[in-house]
Amino acid sequence: MRQTYPALTLVAASCLTITAHAPAAIIQTAEPFIGITHHQIIEASDGSTAGGTINFPRPVVIHLVEIDPAAPGVSFLMQPGNGPLQGEVTRYTTPNFANTFGTQIALNGDFYADAGAGQANVTHTGVSQGNGYSPNWYTGQPIFNVDANNVASVLAARTPGGFDSLENIPLYNALGGNQRILTNGSITAPNDSYTNALNPHSALGVAPDGRVFLMAVDGRQGDFSSGMRTTEMASLFLHFGVTNAINIDGGGSTTLAFDDSNDGIANARVINSPSDLSSELSPGNPRLVANNFGVFATPNPDYIPLPSPPRPLAEGAVPLLTTLTILDDFEGSKGRFASARGVAGSGNVATYATRLDNTAPHQGFESLEITITNTGAQPSGMFARIPSGAALPSNNTQNGKAMARTGYVGFFIKLDPGQDPLYAAIQLDDGSPIQSGLERSNFIEIIPNGQWQLVQWNLEDSRLWSPRDNGDGDIDGPNTFIDSILLSAAPGDTGGPNWAGTLHLDTIAYNPNGDLASLIIPEPTSAAIFSLVTIGWIRRRSAA
């Protein structure tokens, strides 16, 4: 459910206060699941996020998940115990927990101690679907609980070593924390070193109307996100209507994961930027933690994921493209592919030539025609690398800007009917104009039907990318540039059988905020074809 929130400023002491002061940070929202809103709160160090409703005195990135427990399909799961194994729980990374138990959302759980052999003991209370495995630590210790009817509350432990609460509410899906940071609308985090340190944090809260909130604060990442104090988190919760909340963990454990692809596959992804092995330029890795809190939910078919928060640019990096951009359209020029020469690959069995063709472009008036000639050399195998901008990052900017590491890159390709199988991939320079590594996409089969086919790749899906020279198999920027388009007679860069034929390229594009489907042009009707032919005849007559 959507709410309207007042303006907020983070003041130097340790709390957030409502103010009419000029806003700086922005709040971006998306609805990945029915009844669930993902709020992404960003204060960038360079002021590029100015224009929002919250002020912070430092760069910070916060992910807040707002959940309506009454929404269809919503239910909760605290990670269960490990049964007869040593320790209390089996350690998972947060996305692996989501994949293993089938939840759509997961947040890391409580503090813990390693018990060896991939197991751990949880510090505070742990109860999963009414089955307790980690007892209360001390009387008054804060507990977040969701009962069997999806009613959430923040409680206080009654008996050390027991599974009860001072409020006499049975524990069902429950986990403890180290601080109760909000109590009935008042900030109650203690004034101690933990409270006042800037760190990554994980927290849970409840609003009076029953909404549940999960918070993941990124930290220890310089000018990307330097973290928060727990009193500041309490004030931010208040801004969103939360009146009771606990801090459950932090540091390198803080991880939020979504399985939001709606593809029927358990493939949860990390939403925040864990601090382990991170820098202000690149995200870290999820940690093996003791337990996790999960949410089951129904995918929203209209969901568009939020883009990754902007990171500071590396030395020598250039500004980023922020909107859908056509990189080459071949209107009157071969563009960055004018210098393409030769074919490299297994067997070196072909040569190719390029020219502009105006018979049936994807859009506009021309496309790039590529004719590959089979030389008959042995062993057989055709693999062509067609460079963009002579394969130099400095030649592949667009008005001084580069692709980011988010979104999709791709192009339209057409292969005439009756031709042998052909596969296409794209190779990218990943880094900055000064220093980069090569990453190669997977190959996609091109259908020989004479129709324009969109081939595109998600820069954020590491499963699609393989390392080449100085690459690491991930698009992690901060800049990304097209190095070349790859063609192969087999789905790999070792080449395949000898191949000869003609194909066309057009509309090479990048979208940092989603895919390239909006560039698909429906096939024209016969009347439209007649109209296009007539227009072409008029143009030729005018030229004559």
Side-chain angles (χ1 to χ4, degrees):
M1 72 182 61
R2 289 187 176 272
Q3 300 281 321
T4 301
Y5 305 108
L8 209 68
T9 292
L10 185 62
V11 297
S14 62
C15 64
L16 288 159
T17 57
I18 295 175
T19 177
H21 198 66
I26 62 168
I27 301 177
Q28 302 181 102
T29 64
E31 297 181 3
F33 310 101
I34 303 301
I36 296 178
T37 301
H38 173 208
H39 303 282
Q40 187 186 73
I41 305 164
I42 308 169
E43 176 80 74
S45 61
D46 61 1
S48 60
T49 53
T53 58
I54 297 178
N55 278 346
F56 296 96
R58 71 185 77 92
V60 67
V61 176
I62 305 150
H63 296 270
L64 197 64
V65 181
E66 179 179 354
I67 304 168
D68 178 4
V74 170
S75 61
F76 301 87
L77 174 69
M78 185 57 209
Q79 183 175 323
N82 61 9
L85 299 176
Q86 65 190 60
E88 296 172 337
V89 288
T90 298
R91 296 176 67 178
Y92 295 92
T93 67
T94 301
N96 284 345
F97 161 80
N99 293 337
T100 300
F101 291 91
T103 68
Q104 281 63 59
I105 300 173
L107 179 69
N108 69 290
D110 195 4
F111 293 82
Y112 61 92
D114 184 33
Q119 312 301 308
N121 291 309
V122 179
T123 301
H124 303 103
T125 310
V127 179
S128 178
Q129 296 181 311
N131 298 309
Y133 58 82
S134 180
N136 300 333
W137 188 16
Y138 61 89
T139 300
Q141 166 230 305
I143 300 172
F144 179 87
N145 182 60
V146 182
D147 69 18
N149 297 313
N150 267 14
V151 177
S153 56
V154 175
L155 309 173
R158 175 187 293 276
T159 307
F163 296 94
D164 53 5
S165 68
L166 291 173
E167 295 81 1
N168 291 319
I169 294 176
L171 303 185
Y172 187 70
N173 280 309
L175 72 161
N178 68 325
Q179 289 187 351
R180 181 161 183 166
I181 61 176
L182 271 178
T183 304
N184 299 326
S186 297
I187 297 175
T188 52
N191 184 16
D192 59 20
S193 60
Y194 186 90
T195 294
N196 297 319
L198 296 177
N199 278 310
H201 285 289
S202 307
L204 296 167
V206 185
D209 59 5
R211 285 174 296 143
V212 174
F213 287 77
L214 285 60
M215 181 186 291
V217 178
D218 289 333
R220 301 177 184 171
Q221 295 170 65
D223 281 343
F224 171 70
S225 185
S226 53
M228 294 180 72
R229 303 177 177 92
T230 58
T231 45
E232 294 170 345
M233 295 162 58
S235 293
L236 184 58
F237 267 139
L238 284 172
H239 175 67
F240 282 85
V242 174
T243 53
N244 287 283
I246 71 171
N247 183 81
I248 52 175
D249 200 355
S253 296
T254 291
T255 309
L256 175 66
F258 288 177
D259 186 356
D260 57 357
S261 60
N262 194 18
D263 58 4
I265 302 172
N267 52 3
R269 64 188 181 100
V270 177
I271 296 298
N272 72 313
S273 179
S275 65
D276 278 5
L277 301 179
S278 69
S279 74
E280 64 181 17
L281 301 179
S282 60
N285 299 326
R287 177 185 290 181
L288 283 167
V289 295
N291 58 5
N292 295 271
F293 182 72
V295 184
F296 298 98
T298 301
N300 174 12
D302 299 322
Y303 166 59
I304 298 176
L306 295 175
S308 298
R311 288 185 177 268
L313 296 180
E315 182 179 358
V318 298
L320 303 176
L321 295 167
T322 58
T323 59
L324 174 62
T325 302
I326 306 298
L327 302 174
D328 269 296
D329 59 10
F330 307 111
E331 297 300 304
S333 164
K334 295 181 183 179
R336 295 183 179 87
F337 293 85
S339 63
R341 293 290 184 274
V343 168
S346 175
N348 261 350
V349 300
T351 60
Y352 76 86
T354 63
R355 74 177 186 92
L356 296 178
D357 177 65
N358 62 6
T359 54
H362 166 252
Q363 62 178 20
F365 300 103
E366 291 177 299
S367 64
L368 185 69
E369 180 183 273
I370 303 174
T371 299
I372 296 178
T373 302
N374 181 3
T375 65
Q378 294 296 325
S380 65
M382 191 283 287
F383 170 68
R385 181 187 181 208
I386 305 176
S388 173
L392 297 175
S394 57
N395 291 341
N396 284 290
T397 61
Q398 191 82 4
N399 297 321
K401 296 182 178 181
M403 297 187 295
R405 59 185 179 197
T406 61
Y408 284 71
V409 64
F411 49 87
F412 286 80
I413 188 168
K414 181 172 63 172
L415 190 61
D416 290 339
Q419 303 213 58
D420 291 333
L422 187 66
Y423 299 83
I426 196 165
Q427 190 158 269
L428 304 178
D429 287 297
D430 176 36
S432 75
I434 294 177
Q435 185 175 7
S436 62
L438 284 177
E439 316 290 355
R440 195 216 74 194
S441 74
N442 66 327
F443 279 82
I444 297 175
E445 183 174 5
I446 308 307
I447 302 171
N449 60 4
Q451 305 296 323
W452 286 106
Q453 176 180 341
L454 171 62
V455 290
Q456 60 177 338
W457 295 268
N458 184 348
L459 299 180
E460 298 174 80
D461 189 344
S462 60
R463 297 169 299 177
L464 304 181
W465 301 97
S466 300
R468 288 301 177 258
D469 294 347
N470 298 316
D472 61 6
D474 282 309
I475 308 300
D476 45 20
N479 291 158
T480 309
F481 313 86
I482 294 180
D483 171 87
S484 54
I485 287 173
L486 309 179
L487 302 171
S488 179
D493 55 11
T494 57
N498 290 346
W499 193 96
T502 298
L503 62 142
H504 290 80
L505 292 179
D506 207 354
T507 318
I508 300 172
Y510 166 65
N511 184 3
N513 303 312
D515 63 25
L516 303 175
S518 64
L519 297 175
I520 296 175
I521 300 173
E523 292 299 315
T525 62
S526 57
I529 292 173
F530 174 78
S531 176
L532 289 170
V533 170
T534 303
I535 291 172
W537 181 82
I538 292 172
R539 287 184 182 277
R540 289 193 296 274
R541 291 284 296 174
S542 299

